[in-house]
């Protein structure tokens, strides 16, 4: 009886396998093969677009370095000096805005740094815009402001009864106060940013002596880059942005995307552009594009660095990357026709639409995930689909090297960076599509958690709480685990039947997805 049951089961299994194989043969030629070939073609085109963009920016940077075209040579710059007759009135009135939201770990650092800026005390106003929902944190921030006020600092603590517009809403409301009318310039620092005391002395001369300049942007310096491998990977990606993308935009077009912090705006430029808008979650980029098409020029100072903190938990980093990928794609959708209709030159329109938005903010995210994590792995099942070596090996290698040269100290981590970036491309591609299609999470804004000073701090657990709570959702990430399983299966198939050695890459990439999927990346903070 058992033998009969076994034979029946085996026969049924063979029959099911045969049916699946038959269905695959029927679908493969008319449907799967054409679709995969189209996908390969589109990915190769996007790879070429990205490659040309990287080569172009590299050439520009090399030329800039060789000829030493620093902002001080491109624009008039003279240090500000005391005037015995005019006194402090020789210095323009400056507003410093610090938007906050439940920033318990870092509020003292940012307020202290802003209050320590070298500028005549009667010509500067520190404005703390506190949107905190935690009453305890609000009290702490207010007390800190009172403490600095008692030392003679002109500091204002401002709150509102809602969070409409998030950061953009807070900055917009901050500009409505009567005392702001006396200010000519506004410097903006997020809650974890700590400018050096000479920040205003180094940035304001560009705005004072060049009436066409509307924004001066400083570079970011990461205080916790060595905290873990994930922060080192972030440093590599952001260093390229600051050493290449921002530098090229400033030098060639006097335009780049405002980073939302560590920058100084001419208030008249901000107002002429229409002020802060909350139609997307990248209000800083929105303002920069509008101001640029009003004719204002931007200056980027790569040698002026402002200390800040990188997200050290994967959860915080993932939310940040969602915002940074979804927002630009959504802004591109909303501003495309606005840009087309402006009276700016065709060259500038092409630069902003094609280079700034389409290639860097959309193509870069989509091709990384679709090509390297979906299309290439899928071709192991269909050897009829050929991917040329220049598309699968040479171009990706050159792009990777050009990205990594911005952080020479981390070149030995290049393989880890490639694998981690491919993992993160899953979230970036998803967020980009949400932004383009205006999906459900298009306006999701979750403030990036900070740890304070870059030092990892375990959250304190009260005695009454007993043991630390482990929440499975905080540690396991289903999407990454699913992608890891898919790539692992593709790797085994290629090892058994393939001839192109893709399995080496597939096993490595699958391992990276599994590491992230099981939560072994970044710093893990347990919940109290």
């Amino acid at each position: 009886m058992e033998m009969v049951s076994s034979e029946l089961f085996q026969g049924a299994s063979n029959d099911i396998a045969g049916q699946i194989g038959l269905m695959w043969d029927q679908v493969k030629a008319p449907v799967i093969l054409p679709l995969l070939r189209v996908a390969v073609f589109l990915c190769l085109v996007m790879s070429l677009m990205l490659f040309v963009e990287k080569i172009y920016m590299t050439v520009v940077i090399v030329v800039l370095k060789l000829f030493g075209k620093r902002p001080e040579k491109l624009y008039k710059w003279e240090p500000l000096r005391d005037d015995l007759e005019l006194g402090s009135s020789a210095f323009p009135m400056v507003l410093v805005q610090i938007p906050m939201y439940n920033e318990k770990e870092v509020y003292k650092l940012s307020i202290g740094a802003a209050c320590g800026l070298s500028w005549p005390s009667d010509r500067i106003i520190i404005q703390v815009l506190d949107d905190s929902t935690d009453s305890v944190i609000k009290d702490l921030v207010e007390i800190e402001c009172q403490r600095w006020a008692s030392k003679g600092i002109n500091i204002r603590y401002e709150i509102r009864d809602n969070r409409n517009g998030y950061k953009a809403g807070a900055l917009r409301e901050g500009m409505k106060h009567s005392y702001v009318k006396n200010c000519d310039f506004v410097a903006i620092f997020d809650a974890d940013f700590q400018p050096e005391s000479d920040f205003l002395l180094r940035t304001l001369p560009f705005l004072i002596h060049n009436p066409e300049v509307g924004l001066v942007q400083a570079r970011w310096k990461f205080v916790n880059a060595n905290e873990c491998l994930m922060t080192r990977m972030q440093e590599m990606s952001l260093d390229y942005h600051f050493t290449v993308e921002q530098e090229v935009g400033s030098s060639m077009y006097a335009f780049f995307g405002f980073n939302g912090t560590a920058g100084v705006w001419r208030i008249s430029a901000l107002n002429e552009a229409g002020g802060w808008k909350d139609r997307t979650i990248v209000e800083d980029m929105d303002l920069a594009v509008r101001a640029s098409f009003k004719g204002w020029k931007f200056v980027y100072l790569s040698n002026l660095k402002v200390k800040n903190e990188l997200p050290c938990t994967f959860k915080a980093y993932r939310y940040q990357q969602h915002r940074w990928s979804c927002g630009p794609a959504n802004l591109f959708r909303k501003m495309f026709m606005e840009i087309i209709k402006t009276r700016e030159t065709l060259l500038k329109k092409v630069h902003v639409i094609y280079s700034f938005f389409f290639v860097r903010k959309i193509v870069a995210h989509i091709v990384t995930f679709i090509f390297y994590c979906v299309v290439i792995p899928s071709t192991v099942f269909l050897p009829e689909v050929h991917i040329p070596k220049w598309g699968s090996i040479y171009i990706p290698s050159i792009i990777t090297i050009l990205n990594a040269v911005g952080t020479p100290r981390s070149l030995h981590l290049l393989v880890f960076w490639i694998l981690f970036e491919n993992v993160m491309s899953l979230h970036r591609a998803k967020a980009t599509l949400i932004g383009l299609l205006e999906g459900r999470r298009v306006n999701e804004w979750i403030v990036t958690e900070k740890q304070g000073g870059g030092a990892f701090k375990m959250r304190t657990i009260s005695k009454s709480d007993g043991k630390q709570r482990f929440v499975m959702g905080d540690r396991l990430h289903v999407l990454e685990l699913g992608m890891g399983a898919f790539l692992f299966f593709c790797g085994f198939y290629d090892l058994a039947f393939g001839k192109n050695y893709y399995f080496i890459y597939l096993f490595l990439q699958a391992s990276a997805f599994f590491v992230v999927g099981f939560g072994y990346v970044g710093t893990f903070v347990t919940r109290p």
Side-chain angles (χ1 to χ4, degrees):
M1 184 66 179
E2 291 182 2
M3 289 180 63
V4 173
S5 299
S6 177
E7 288 176 359
L8 287 172
F9 179 76
Q10 186 175 1
S13 299
N14 291 336
D15 188 49
I16 293 173
Q19 289 180 358
I20 293 174
L22 183 61
M23 289 174 60
W24 170 253
D25 290 335
Q26 290 176 341
V27 173
K28 183 176 73 171
V31 180
I32 305 299
L33 273 173
L35 286 176
L36 194 56
R37 286 192 174 118
V38 169
V40 168
F41 173 76
L42 292 176
C43 287
L44 289 174
V45 171
M46 289 190 287
S47 294
L48 279 171
M49 294 166 64
L50 193 58
F51 175 72
V52 171
E53 180 73 9
K54 297 289 184 184
I55 293 295
Y56 162 71
M57 288 193 290
T58 301
V59 171
V60 172
I61 285 296
V62 170
V63 171
L64 290 174
K65 298 300 181 185
L66 288 176
F67 291 93
K69 289 190 175 182
R70 304 209 60 79
E72 290 82 358
K73 294 184 177 181
L74 296 173
Y75 297 92
K76 184 179 179 182
W77 191 93
E78 294 177 4
L80 299 175
R81 295 184 175 89
D82 294 328
D83 190 305
L84 295 177
E85 294 184 3
L86 296 176
S88 63
S89 61
F91 291 78
M93 197 75 182
V94 179
L95 175 70
V96 178
Q97 291 184 314
I98 310 174
M100 290 191 172
Y101 176 72
N102 295 336
E103 307 286 3
K104 182 179 180 182
E105 303 291 349
V106 295
Y107 73 94
K108 284 187 177 181
L109 297 173
S110 57
I111 293 175
C115 292
L117 289 169
S118 297
W119 203 256
S121 59
D122 61 333
R123 308 298 291 171
I124 186 171
I125 303 172
I126 312 296
Q127 187 185 66
V128 178
L129 304 169
D130 191 8
D131 270 2
S132 299
T133 52
D134 188 316
S135 58
V136 174
I137 297 176
K138 289 179 75 170
D139 291 342
L140 290 172
V141 175
E142 186 174 12
I143 291 170
E144 183 68 9
C145 292
Q146 292 172 353
R147 187 173 74 83
W148 282 103
S150 66
K151 295 181 179 182
I153 300 297
N154 188 0
I155 185 169
R156 307 296 180 95
Y157 176 73
E158 307 289 359
I159 59 173
R160 53 188 184 141
D161 57 6
N162 60 71
R163 284 197 70 216
N164 294 341
Y166 303 111
K167 180 181 173 181
L171 293 171
R172 185 172 58 234
E173 288 299 313
M175 297 299 292
K176 293 180 180 179
H177 294 281
S178 58
Y179 55 82
V180 176
K181 295 178 181 178
N182 301 319
C183 298
D184 302 300
F185 307 101
V186 55
I188 302 168
F189 301 102
D190 282 351
D192 60 315
F193 277 71
Q194 305 160 53
E196 298 294 336
S197 60
D198 63 349
F199 179 87
L200 295 178
L201 294 174
R202 295 175 66 180
T203 54
L204 263 298
F206 286 101
L207 292 158
I208 294 170
H209 300 307
N210 302 278
E212 75 278 14
V213 173
L215 165 69
V216 178
Q217 171 75 61
R219 183 176 171 179
W220 297 2
K221 179 182 178 181
F222 312 111
V223 297
N224 65 332
N226 294 324
E227 187 162 344
C228 60
L229 187 59
M230 190 183 79
T231 53
R232 289 289 292 271
M233 302 299 101
Q234 292 178 63
E235 182 190 39
M236 291 178 72
S237 298
L238 288 170
D239 274 353
Y240 178 81
H241 169 70
F242 285 108
T243 58
V244 179
E245 291 180 345
Q246 297 294 74
E247 190 84 61
V248 170
S250 176
S251 302
M252 295 297 293
Y253 307 97
F255 165 75
F256 48 82
F258 176 44
N259 294 122
T261 178
V264 187
W265 277 95
R266 188 187 300 274
I267 291 180
S268 58
L270 194 154
N271 291 334
E272 186 184 347
W276 295 103
K277 293 185 179 181
D278 55 14
R279 56 181 172 176
T280 70
I281 50 179
V282 284
E283 71 294 322
D284 44 13
M285 188 181 293
D286 187 350
L287 175 61
V289 174
R290 285 184 280 114
S292 177
F293 279 97
K294 289 291 183 179
W296 293 99
K297 295 182 178 180
F298 303 163
V299 176
Y300 172 67
L301 304 180
S302 61
N303 58 352
L304 178 58
K305 300 179 181 180
V306 180
K307 292 187 290 185
N308 68 101
E309 182 179 321
L310 292 165
C312 60
T313 66
F314 180 68
K315 181 180 180 181
Y317 183 53
R318 194 179 69 220
Y319 283 133
Q320 182 199 69
Q321 292 304 294
H322 172 86
R323 188 170 74 248
W324 287 4
S325 302
C326 177
N330 190 235
L331 182 63
F332 175 65
R333 172 190 172 116
K334 291 182 175 177
M335 290 203 73
F336 181 80
M337 290 309 300
E338 290 182 39
I339 296 171
I340 293 292
K341 293 176 181 178
T342 58
R343 296 182 180 180
E344 271 290 351
T345 63
L346 178 62
L347 178 63
K348 189 168 185 178
K349 289 181 182 181
V350 170
H351 168 67
V352 174
I353 291 175
Y354 174 78
S355 180
F356 180 77
F357 272 117
F358 188 63
V359 176
R360 298 186 207 169
K361 311 300 181 186
I362 297 174
V363 167
H365 298 324
I366 291 177
V367 74
T368 302
F369 176 67
I370 298 297
F371 195 31
Y372 304 119
C373 298
V374 178
V375 172
I376 290 179
S378 298
T379 59
V380 303
F381 303 111
L382 296 163
E384 301 95 326
V385 179
H386 174 68
I387 301 178
K389 285 188 177 181
W390 61 262
S392 60
I393 299 175
Y394 302 141
I395 282 182
S397 299
I398 295 172
I399 290 175
T400 300
I401 293 170
L402 293 178
N403 267 293
V405 293
T407 315
R409 76 185 191 99
S410 298
L411 284 175
H412 63 289
L413 300 174
L414 198 56
V415 173
F416 295 102
W417 180 77
I418 294 169
L419 298 175
F420 181 67
E421 283 293 291
N422 285 348
V423 172
M424 289 309 302
S425 70
L426 165 65
H427 295 285
R428 292 177 185 138
K430 183 178 70 171
T432 300
L433 291 175
I434 289 173
L436 284 174
L437 303 175
E438 291 206 325
R440 184 171 55 87
R441 295 177 57 197
V442 69
N443 290 318
E444 180 182 74
W445 180 288
I446 297 177
V447 176
T448 305
E449 295 178 6
K450 290 95 178 177
Q451 299 300 322
F456 171 62
K457 301 176 181 179
M458 287 292 290
R459 299 182 184 178
T460 54
I461 309 299
S462 64
K463 291 182 180 179
S464 60
D465 223 21
K467 298 180 180 179
Q468 298 175 351
R469 287 188 295 165
F470 175 79
V471 180
M472 188 68 71
D474 286 349
R475 200 66 189 252
L476 296 180
H477 307 288
V478 177
L479 283 176
E480 285 83 353
L481 292 175
M483 280 303 305
F486 167 70
L487 292 171
F488 210 65
F489 178 71
C490 292
F492 269 120
Y493 189 91
D494 189 59
L495 178 63
F497 305 106
K499 297 178 182 179
N500 48 27
Y501 300 100
Y502 281 169
F503 66 86
I504 299 173
Y505 158 72
L506 292 170
F507 284 147
L508 287 172
Q509 192 61 68
S511 300
F513 271 102
F514 282 135
V515 168
V516 176
F518 284 113
Y520 290 102
V521 64
T523 303
F524 184 67
V525 181
T526 53
R527 290 186 180 182

